Amino acid sequence: MTVRRDFQEPPRSRPDLVIGREDLFTSAREQLGRGGSVLLHGPAGIGKSTVLRALAADYGGADRTVLRCSATESESHLPFLALADLFGLVLDDVSGALPGAQRTALESALTGRGESTLQRDGLALRLAVLSALRVLAAKGPVLVVADDLQWLDAASAELLGFAARRLGDTPVQMLCAVRTEGQEYDRHLPASPPDTLAVRLGPLTRTQVSALLDHRGYTPLSRSTVRDIHRTSGGNPLFALELGRALAESPARPRPGEPLPVPTSLRALVLSRLEMLSDEARRTLLVASAGARPTLALLHAAGREHAEAETAQAAALGLLATDPEAPALRFAHPLISAALYAEAPAQERRAVHAALSTAASDPIERARHLALATTGTDPDVAARLAEAGALARDRGAPSVAASLGLLAARHTPADSAPSPDERRLHAAEDAITAGEADLARDIARDVLTRATVPTERVRAWMVVIEAAGQALGDVDAVFPQVLADAGDDPRLLAQVHYQLAWRGLVVEGDFAEARQEAAHAAELAARGGDRRTELMALSFQASTETLMGHPDAPVTVKRALREPQDPYVACHHNGAGSARFRWLIMSDQLPEARATITALLREVRRRGMVESEVHFLRFLADTELRSGHCGRALDLARESLRLARDSGIGEGASAMLASLAEASAGDVDRALALAREAADHAEVDGDQMYLSRALAALGYAQLVAGDPAATVRSLRRVRELEQGLGINDPGRGRWHGDLAEALVRIGEPGEAQDVIDTTRAHALRLGRQSVLAVLDRAEALVRAARGEHEAAVVRLTSVQDRLGRLGYGLEEARAAYALARLRAQAAAPRAGARPLPGPVSYDEAARLFRRCRALPWLRQVDAAATAGPAAVEPAAATPAVALDALEGLATMERQVASLVMEGATNREIAARLFISVKTVEATLTRVYRKLGIRSRVDIVRLAAGRRTT
């Protein structure tokens, strides 16, 4: 191994020499050579930093940008220090290529000037780090070298992990080292790219320890002494070197069989060597150990007049690592600092913190030192800590804010305002923001054990509910308790019923219940004067009513848009503007919908609201897709999906819309994959509402891919889901016409007509003109399947004109294509068939699809035109006679039997129908009984026999 310069080295030392780690070093170097990343892990002193530096020197050449950081325990509570180490020297190179919001957030985080808030623009900061790495990677490969990952400040660690998980094929690699015991390294993997190779450094053998000691000049040592060193050190190279150094510096050598004249742990070694310091130098090092980022200037400000000489003495003893280019002092090993601090008397430690509370330049550090210098309660100290917590929150370090909040609560007198529990609840809310749900829940439940004020209790219960995330069913027992605590206070009750509205939707999948709770929450908030909660509840109610096809939806949208407005709610993706957009687009008001969502998108980009930007990009893509601007829709959908994956927000919904856009204007195979990805997201989240949207996208992609049987399977499931959810507005998913068309293609015109009739009733009631036109197009195909060709042509001609006037360009083109296919089918030579009026030409359909940039549809038109009239026949996945034999079966039984006819296995059937294998087996048993057969082979024979009759 290459020995680190943590302690003073003899001049003969060669830091590039690797001893005892050859195989490990080669494996890690090969991983880096393949473009992967490496995480070195092991206990303190095992040699991780040494191997890391050797790998970085070997792999990080002139053709790579190398970004480095090395954290210490004393720095871990301050946000963005590691980030500053990594990007401080390259900020000027990347800032010009970043969007404004991202550039501002990153510069504020690195310099400590201005504002960088996680609550307001935290996603912009996360994306800024990701974008900065991409900018650097565009100029050449990038290697991020991070040592002592366990001491990385929480904000920097979160940002690095965020970027690492989203780099994909970007040529950015990470080489990290982390201190671990056992195999606990896996909890650090989220901060590394997915392709990271975890390499554990284990203890050295006796032979390797002997070679290491010899290399460092600690000779001559007898074999028995080397054996004792190996045993006492446990093969830890740092411990072994320290034992060797102690022996080399000792005037008396131990006799064989005698214990080594040194303690058996690094801490003891450190304390032994600390005795060589003068008392003043030891006090100076104690100040340095308590500081977050100690410098000579800080030591002087804390009253250490001779800091230069005293730190030089410590460096000569190997207690401090010397780096002329680094202004901050660094202990040779974190344990040295920890041991020094732990051994100091409590009174001496408090005096050091008192000095640092005025000497430190950072207000967060000053407040922390003040708290550690103070015993008992002190309202002034508590106020300073609360102010520091707010500053940490604004800097985007909610976990630091939570810690400071708890310190503030500890120093707050019981009769103060705000009370200690109020400050604890602030800390709990910061913990929620930081993703520390367990901590937040523990704080809230602790407050609930003694809180008697209803406002505090309800606030604590809200933290418990928020901590549950999507698992609202896990906190069902909370709602009766929080309702009891809220009493008859309308302001408190409004918050509870707003959460109950989400519970009704997420847990119960009950739109009616969700609507009722949202309306009640809005009423209560209005009585209590809580305008923000009122507006959020009204927006939720409006969106729910729109999806339900409720007649009150337009009125509720108007109520949510009344003044006074709340700026946060106005442009939030669950706010009033978003509710209005949903109503407009489902009411066929495409130009106004486009103007509304474009304005909202512009505003959230100005504010740096990345989460809302993800959703509004998707909404605009949906609008453009309906308008027939398929190329533009595809660009927007891809942008939304990219941003969703970068930010970890709305990935399923963005994948669903991207699937629709890809099927219309891009790659159909990618559309199928994206739809399945969206369905997987929804299944994992237990989100039945978005599962129906994902399956609708899958059905559309399957239709474009020419697989009507698969389309029917997917969209039948959508129909069942939406009936169960109470979604009655066909303007929401617009899958009904696709299902009817696919049913016609597989020889099920009766079921197709039933879908059309049921959907038409809702569309007529709600005035959904474009849906009615699409249903008429599907009904024309039903009539053609029944031999009513002339009536079908008349209907399709009318439908094409209506869709064009409504502005639905893609649907207009599909009507033209259906009309051309119908005429081509009629032109094929058939006994007794009458030719239909009008030319047999695909030119109009091709023109319209070309105008839409609907490339997959255009390819279908080209194939149909090339094939000629005789080749154009309605697709059928299963012969009609075979289908006749299945008429007596229930819907699920018929689907399973049809898939058996195609040769699908039980597992394949389960996957395609989203049911379990056991359900498939039970269904087949019923099919056998109803058809009078014994096995799946008989189903296949039945189908084959029908084909030959």
Side-chain angles (χ1 to χ4, degrees):
M1 62 175 282
T2 303
V3 180
R4 56 187 291 171
R5 293 181 174 271
D6 288 344
F7 299 93
Q8 188 178 17
E9 298 175 346
R12 62 169 289 185
S13 165
R14 290 176 49 203
D16 61 333
L17 182 65
V18 175
I19 295 175
R21 307 294 190 191
E22 291 80 7
D23 292 343
L24 177 153
F25 187 88
T26 299
S27 175
R29 184 170 54 188
E30 289 175 352
Q31 168 73 358
L32 293 170
R34 290 190 294 267
S37 297
V38 174
L39 175 67
L40 306 171
H41 65 98
I46 204 66
K48 303 177 296 299
S49 298
T50 299
V51 176
L52 179 138
R53 286 197 294 269
L55 284 168
D58 182 80
Y59 185 71
D63 60 334
R64 288 179 175 81
T65 299
V66 181
L67 308 177
R68 301 174 186 269
C69 69
S70 181
T72 64
E73 183 177 12
S74 62
E75 299 171 351
S76 62
H77 71 283
L78 288 178
F80 305 134
L81 289 182
L83 195 69
D85 288 342
L86 289 171
F87 292 102
L89 298 179
V90 298
L91 180 60
D92 292 340
D93 298 333
V94 302
S95 61
L98 301 181
Q102 295 182 23
R103 180 173 61 252
T104 300
L106 184 61
E107 289 176 349
S108 297
L110 297 188
T111 63
R113 297 190 298 271
E115 292 185 2
S116 179
T117 69
L118 187 60
Q119 291 176 328
R120 187 194 67 191
D121 59 1
L123 284 173
L125 181 55
R126 292 179 176 90
L127 294 173
V129 174
L130 180 60
S131 299
L133 290 172
R134 286 174 172 160
V135 170
L136 292 172
K139 303 173 184 177
V142 176
L143 180 66
V144 177
V145 181
D147 199 3
D148 283 320
L149 206 61
Q150 74 278 1
W151 300 133
L152 234 61
D153 62 274
S156 297
E158 179 184 354
L159 293 170
L160 278 181
F162 176 90
R165 294 188 294 274
R166 291 164 174 82
L167 286 169
D169 296 330
T170 306
V172 176
Q173 298 167 261
M174 294 186 70
L175 174 59
C176 304
V178 62
R179 181 191 300 179
T180 59
E181 297 294 337
Q183 296 291 328
E184 63 181 9
Y185 71 91
D186 55 343
R187 68 187 181 91
H188 296 281
L189 284 177
S192 303
D195 62 349
T196 297
L197 173 68
V199 178
R200 176 168 176 78
L201 276 69
L204 300 179
T205 66
R206 187 171 64 182
T207 301
Q208 291 166 343
V209 167
S210 178
L212 175 63
L213 292 169
D214 181 64
H215 163 66
R216 296 297 292 268
Y218 301 136
T219 56
L221 294 173
S222 66
R223 290 170 61 96
S224 61
T225 301
V226 171
R227 182 193 63 212
D228 290 340
I229 290 175
H230 179 258
R231 183 186 69 249
T232 304
S233 68
N236 184 298
L238 179 60
F239 292 0
L241 286 171
E242 286 308 294
L243 287 167
R245 173 177 292 160
L247 287 171
E249 294 173 352
S250 174
R253 298 290 179 91
R255 290 186 296 238
E258 288 185 349
L260 298 177
V262 290
T264 59
S265 69
L266 178 61
R267 177 179 174 182
L269 283 172
V270 170
L271 294 176
S272 174
R273 294 172 61 194
L274 286 174
E275 293 175 358
M276 302 171 67
L277 288 172
S278 66
D279 290 342
E280 292 301 311
R282 183 177 179 128
R283 291 192 186 95
T284 295
L285 281 195
L286 178 60
V287 175
S289 72
R293 199 179 181 93
T295 62
L296 289 173
L298 177 67
L299 295 177
H300 281 300
R304 307 310 302 167
E305 298 179 1
H306 306 292
E308 287 88 350
E310 290 157 358
T311 55
Q313 181 186 358
L317 291 170
L319 294 168
L320 292 177
T322 56
D323 185 351
E325 297 181 1
L329 300 172
R330 183 168 64 87
F331 282 89
H333 192 284
L335 288 180
I336 299 173
S337 173
L340 175 64
Y341 184 84
E343 286 298 311
Q347 184 176 357
E348 190 174 353
R349 290 200 300 265
R350 286 196 296 272
V352 165
H353 286 299
L356 288 171
S357 69
T358 58
S361 60
D362 185 85
I364 293 177
E365 186 178 355
R366 287 199 302 270
R368 171 178 166 271
H369 287 304
L370 181 61
L372 295 174
T374 305
T375 58
T377 60
D378 187 319
D380 293 334
V381 172
R384 286 270 302 275
L385 286 164
E387 291 171 3
L391 180 58
R393 196 178 303 120
D394 289 343
R395 288 184 181 180
S399 60
V400 175
S403 299
L404 291 168
L406 290 174
L407 280 173
R410 186 181 306 168
H411 289 285
T412 301
D415 57 350
S416 293
S419 69
D421 279 343
E422 284 184 80
R423 286 186 162 140
R424 289 186 183 93
L425 289 173
H426 267 299
E429 289 158 357
D430 285 325
I432 285 284
T433 304
E436 301 176 21
D438 291 343
L439 173 61
R441 185 186 303 110
D442 290 344
I443 295 171
R445 291 197 177 277
D446 174 57
V447 169
L448 286 166
T449 61
R450 58 182 170 273
T452 57
V453 178
T455 302
E456 288 187 1
R457 290 190 63 81
V458 171
R459 188 175 171 190
W461 284 125
M462 291 297 105
V463 170
V464 172
I465 293 170
E466 288 288 340
Q470 289 294 108
L472 286 175
D474 294 345
V475 292
D476 266 349
V478 165
F479 287 101
Q481 299 178 64
V482 69
L483 283 169
D485 286 331
D488 56 1
D489 186 328
R491 192 180 185 93
L492 299 180
L493 286 170
Q495 299 175 47
V496 181
H497 283 278
Y498 181 69
Q499 292 289 352
L500 284 169
W502 280 106
R503 183 195 173 280
L505 195 62
V506 173
V507 178
E508 302 296 339
D510 189 329
F511 274 71
E513 178 185 342
R515 172 189 173 272
Q516 182 178 354
E517 290 290 356
H520 190 34
E523 178 188 350
L524 289 166
R527 288 197 341 229
D530 184 354
R531 184 60 174 164
R532 174 171 290 190
T533 300
E534 180 188 7
L535 289 171
M536 290 299 289
L538 284 171
S539 301
F540 183 93
Q541 180 186 347
S543 296
T544 304
E545 288 175 349
T546 299
L547 294 174
M548 294 171 66
H550 196 283
D552 290 347
V555 176
T556 309
V557 171
K558 290 180 181 178
R559 289 178 60 202
L561 291 169
R562 287 177 189 162
E563 296 293 339
Q565 281 292 311
D566 182 294
Y568 171 82
V569 178
C571 62
H572 191 271
H573 57 275
N574 285 327
S578 183
R580 179 171 182 267
F581 163 78
R582 290 187 181 95
W583 170 254
L584 289 170
I585 197 168
M586 292 173 68
S587 301
D588 299 324
Q589 301 179 56
L590 296 183
E592 194 169 352
R594 181 186 294 106
T596 298
I597 200 62
T598 300
L600 286 169
L601 180 59
R602 187 185 305 116
E603 178 63 15
V604 298
R605 280 176 165 166
R606 186 185 71 80
R607 290 170 173 262
M609 297 171 63
V610 179
E611 182 175 5
S612 292
E613 183 181 355
V614 170
H615 293 289
F616 289 158
L617 278 169
R618 176 168 56 86
F619 293 169
L620 182 56
D622 189 16
T623 307
E624 299 293 3
L625 193 60
R626 295 183 189 218
S627 302
H629 306 150
C630 299
R632 169 70 172 153
L634 181 59
D635 292 340
L636 289 165
R638 286 174 174 173
E639 185 180 355
S640 175
L641 183 59
R642 165 80 174 270
L643 192 58
R645 286 178 171 164
D646 284 349
S647 62
I649 291 172
E651 292 182 70
S654 292
M656 175 274 297
L657 202 285
S659 171
L660 292 171
E662 290 283 355
S664 299
D667 185 317
V668 179
D669 288 337
R670 178 167 169 75
L672 292 165
L674 285 169
R676 292 188 176 102
E677 176 188 332
D680 288 343
H681 273 290
E683 291 274 20
V684 169
D685 294 340
D687 190 336
Q688 298 297 296
M689 186 169 64
Y690 262 106
L691 177 59
S692 71
R693 294 295 304 274
L695 291 175
L698 178 60
Y700 174 70
Q702 290 164 333
L703 184 68
V704 178
D707 191 351
T711 299
V712 169
R713 289 192 295 272
S714 297
L715 297 185
R716 277 175 175 161
R717 177 83 188 281
V718 174
R719 192 182 189 191
E720 294 172 3
L721 282 170
E722 295 203 350
Q723 285 174 347
L725 290 168
I727 298 175
N728 296 316
D729 193 331
R732 179 208 182 222
R734 303 179 63 83
W735 48 267
H736 314 77
D738 292 338
L739 174 57
E741 180 177 337
L743 285 165
V744 171
R745 290 196 190 185
I746 67 168
E748 292 277 10
E751 186 180 347
Q753 189 64 55
D754 177 65
V755 170
I756 293 166
D757 293 341
T758 303
T759 308
R760 181 179 282 139
H762 292 298
L764 283 168
R765 176 175 59 85
L766 297 167
R768 302 294 186 244
Q769 296 301 319
S770 64
V771 174
L772 289 169
V774 169
L775 293 173
D776 285 349
R777 185 185 67 202
E779 190 170 48
L781 301 179
V782 173
R783 292 190 175 190
R786 291 172 174 169
E788 304 171 22
H789 290 83
E790 291 185 14
V793 167
V794 172
R795 178 66 62 89
L796 285 172
T797 304
S798 170
V799 164
Q800 181 182 339
D801 179 65
R802 287 158 57 198
L803 288 168
R805 283 187 280 109
L806 287 167
Y808 283 78
L810 181 59
E811 300 292 0
E812 176 191 5
R814 288 181 62 181
Y817 180 39
L819 181 59
R821 282 176 59 88
L822 184 58
R823 284 175 171 154
Q825 291 163 13
R830 290 181 299 173
R834 292 175 51 191
L836 293 175
V840 178
S841 172
Y842 288 94
D843 291 348
E844 175 68 1
R847 180 186 71 80
L848 292 173
F849 280 132
R850 195 174 292 111
R851 184 182 69 182
C852 294
R853 279 184 56 192
L855 301 182
W857 286 105
L858 189 58
R859 284 191 287 269
Q860 287 191 33
V861 172
D862 290 341
T866 302
V872 183
E873 293 292 340
T878 309
V881 218
L883 288 170
D884 289 343
L886 306 181
E887 282 299 324
L889 302 178
T891 301
M892 179 63 73
E893 295 166 352
R894 188 165 60 247
Q895 292 179 53
V896 170
S898 297
L899 288 172
V900 170
M901 289 179 178
E902 295 177 15
T905 65
N906 287 1
R907 188 171 296 278
E908 291 169 340
I909 294 170
R912 291 170 70 173
L913 296 181
F914 299 96
I915 58 178
S916 68
V917 174
K918 288 186 177 180
T919 301
V920 174
E921 293 169 349
T923 304
L924 278 175
T925 300
R926 293 195 299 272
V927 169
Y928 301 155
R929 185 175 66 252
K930 290 183 179 181
L931 296 182
I933 58 179
R934 296 183 177 180
S935 69
R936 61 189 296 122
V937 176
D938 291 332
I939 296 179
V940 177
R941 287 173 179 166
L942 173 66
R946 295 287 185 177
R947 286 189 180 95
T948 60
T949 58

